[in-house]
Amino acid sequence: TAVALRGQRISQPQTPLAARVKNGCQSLEEAVRAVVFDDMAPGAGGFVGVAADYSIAMEFNSGGMSRACADYKGRREVAIHK
């Protein structure tokens, strides 16, 4: 699992999000949501996570977050607000 936090690539399994997914206790979407809303300060930002199966999860706890993604299934998303 690789995740991006405010533009920094983090791929170590010891990160809170990667550990949640690697240990099999949460899906990527559940882990991203938990880290953003439980571990990060309100308004701090968010995550764009990509799993080994190419699934993508994007979540934020601020007023907005510029984000974009595309996948092999045809998903195309560009957004700033919810």
Side-chain angles (χ1 to χ4, degrees), residues 1 3 13 15-32 51-52:
T1 301
V3 296
T15 64
L17 188 137
R20 290 173 188 256
V21 174
K22 183 177 181 187
N23 295 336
C25 60
Q26 293 182 322
S27 69
L28 176 65
E29 294 78 15
E30 292 168 333
V32 166

Side-chain angles (χ1 to χ4, degrees), residues 16-78:
L17 188 137
R20 290 173 188 256
V21 174
K22 183 177 181 187
N23 295 336
C25 60
Q26 293 182 322
S27 69
L28 176 65
E29 294 78 15
E30 292 168 333
V32 166
R33 187 162 185 74
V35 168
V36 169
F37 291 104
D38 298 341
D39 298 345
M40 296 174 69
F47 272 97
V48 174
V50 180
D53 67 357
Y54 304 109
S55 62
I56 302 167
M58 300 187 291
E59 191 62 71
F60 59 95
N61 67 9
S62 57
M65 183 177 88
S66 298
R67 61 206 183 279
C69 71
D71 69 15
Y72 71 96
K73 296 178 185 177
R75 177 181 176 185
R76 304 284 187 266
E77 187 175 337
V78 177

